[in-house]
């Protein structure tokens, strides 16, 4: 595992360019919003005195934070910032799509370098939850793709599994769903059902609520960057990240919801 301080100059320049740090800024953050963002997302006070060692600009403080963190922590910060960047409509407005894709691939390669080799992706959340040959084959196909290190191929099947999984959870609670409801809508209904149960902490409910946005974006990934259609696939590193992020939600629900395995 590497860390931010061990990255090469070209890798650090790429991070600066992607996150708009070349003139001291960081994306579209103000002093107030970057302070709130790092506190809320990471529990880090970016305006603490120790992070002024490289200078007081937002970019220099972010560099100090990255230098202070472990490789895996730095990777998580960069991954979240990429996610935030993707929500800014003007972030890539003037970029050639090919340049943007190349930067994305390079950026996620740096994240992978910071994380090091963490072994195979966790597939413990995937199991047939009802008697169905189609479901057994779906689960087996996901496992084969992941073991073959082909996460891009697994994304379409992962989306289908999530549709089936949340439909099953809602049906078990006798909650009505329409035939064409998108995945994020199913997750939203499930989160409301957990809240109605009254057995879960506010933190758990917040986590589920925030995950709705993940699944909404996942709809687009499935439609535009998976084998569901004639698409250009994501890089291996980004596909692994998306697969693991979605799987993490399923693993979390499996731990807290006694009905998950019914």
């Amino acid at each position: 595992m590497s860390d931010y301080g061990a990255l090469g100059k070209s890798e650090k320049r790429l991070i600066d360019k992607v996150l708009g740090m070349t003139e001291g800024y960081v994306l579209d953050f103000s002093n107030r919003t970057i302070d709130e963002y790092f506190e809320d997302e990471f529990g880090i006070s970016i305006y603490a005195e120790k992070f002024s060692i490289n200078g007081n600009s937002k970019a220099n403080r972010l560099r100090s934070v990255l230098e202070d963190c472990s490789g895996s922590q730095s990777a998580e910060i960069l991954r979240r910032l990429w996610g935030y960047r993707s929500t800014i409509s003007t972030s890539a407005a003037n970029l050639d799509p090919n340049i943007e894709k190349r930067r994305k691939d390079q950026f996620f390669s740096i994240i992978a370098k910071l994380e090091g080799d963490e072994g195979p992706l966790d597939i413990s959340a995937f199991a047939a939850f009802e008697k169905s040959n189609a479901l057994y084959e779906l689960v087996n196909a996901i496992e084969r793709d992941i073991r073959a290190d082909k996460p891009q191929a697994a994304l379409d099947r992962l989306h289908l599994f999530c549709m089936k999984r949340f439909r099953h959870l809602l049906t078990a609670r006798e909650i009505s769903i329409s035939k064409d409801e998108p995945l994020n809508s199913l997750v939203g209904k499930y989160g409301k059902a957990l809240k109605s149960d009254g057995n879960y902490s506010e933190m758990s409910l917040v986590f589920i609520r925030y995950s709705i946005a993940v699944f909404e974006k996942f709809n687009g990934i499935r439609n535009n960057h998976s084998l569901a259609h004639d698409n250009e696939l994501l890089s291996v590193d980004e596909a692994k990240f998306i697969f693991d992020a979605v799987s993490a939600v399923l693993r979390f629900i499996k731990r807290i919801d006694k009905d998950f395995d019914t």
Side-chain angles (χ1 to χ4, degrees):
M1 179 181 292
S2 183
D3 58 34
Y4 177 82
L7 295 178
K9 290 182 179 179
S10 62
E11 292 170 317
K12 290 181 178 178
R13 282 197 298 270
L14 177 71
I15 292 172
D16 285 358
K17 190 172 294 185
V18 167
L19 299 181
M21 296 165 59
T22 53
E23 296 182 4
Y25 298 100
V26 177
L27 297 174
D28 68 344
F29 286 111
S30 67
N31 291 346
R32 178 183 61 80
T33 58
I34 197 170
D35 187 33
E36 292 174 348
Y37 181 83
F38 271 79
E39 185 65 46
D40 292 343
E41 293 290 323
F42 313 111
I44 293 174
S45 177
I46 196 170
Y47 281 100
E49 180 63 28
K50 68 175 182 175
F51 297 131
S52 65
I53 189 169
N54 292 318
N56 200 42
S57 70
K58 290 183 285 292
N60 280 329
R61 284 185 172 273
L62 174 53
R63 294 184 186 105
S64 296
V65 168
L66 294 173
E67 289 170 359
D68 187 66
C69 290
S70 67
S72 59
Q73 290 171 325
S74 296
E76 181 63 15
I77 290 171
L78 293 177
R79 182 185 291 113
R80 298 270 194 96
L81 287 172
W82 177 273
Y84 176 83
R85 178 183 184 271
S86 68
T87 68
I88 305 172
S89 60
T90 59
S91 64
N94 299 316
L95 281 179
D96 181 288
N98 293 323
I99 294 176
E100 176 69 355
K101 182 181 184 304
R102 186 162 61 250
R103 283 185 180 174
K104 178 191 291 187
D105 290 345
Q106 292 169 339
F107 192 77
F108 276 88
S109 291
I110 293 171
I111 288 175
K113 182 176 180 179
L114 290 169
E115 289 179 321
D117 183 9
E118 297 185 343
L121 290 167
D122 188 340
I123 55 175
S124 60
F126 300 97
F129 44 85
E130 59 186 6
K131 291 183 179 180
S132 164
N133 288 334
L135 183 57
Y136 285 127
E137 286 301 318
L138 177 62
V139 171
N140 288 336
I142 292 172
E143 292 181 352
R144 284 196 302 270
D145 286 338
I146 295 307
R147 290 187 177 121
D149 199 27
K150 296 180 179 179
Q152 311 103 308
L155 292 181
D156 177 34
R157 297 182 180 105
L158 174 62
H159 188 276
L160 179 57
F161 179 89
C162 290
M163 291 290 293
K164 290 178 176 293
R165 176 76 274 192
F166 283 102
R167 281 182 171 275
H168 184 82
L169 288 168
L170 292 172
T171 301
R173 288 173 163 79
E174 299 183 343
I175 296 173
S176 63
I177 50 179
S178 66
K179 180 179 179 181
D180 298 322
E181 278 196 70
L183 179 55
N184 54 294
S185 176
L186 299 177
V187 179
K189 285 187 174 182
Y190 175 73
K192 290 179 180 178
L194 289 186
K195 185 175 182 179
S196 296
D197 288 348
N199 299 323
Y200 306 100
S201 70
E202 181 61 26
M203 186 64 207
S204 294
L205 297 175
V206 166
F207 181 84
I208 299 298
R209 188 161 65 246
Y210 282 172
S211 75
I212 295 172
V214 173
F215 286 102
E216 181 177 16
K217 294 293 184 182
F218 190 30
N219 290 329
I221 292 295
R222 183 263 178 190
N223 291 331
N224 302 309
H225 295 288
S226 81
L227 293 176
H229 303 291
D230 183 17
N231 292 319
E232 183 175 354
L233 299 181
L234 300 174
S235 69
V236 172
D237 291 326
E238 192 172 8
K240 282 183 176 179
F241 163 59
I242 292 170
F243 186 96
D244 198 40
V246 172
S247 300
V249 179
L250 295 176
R251 293 194 300 271
F252 176 71
I253 293 172
K254 184 177 183 179
R255 287 194 293 270
I256 68 168
D257 186 351
K258 61 180 176 60
D259 295 324
F260 187 90
D261 290 321
T262 59

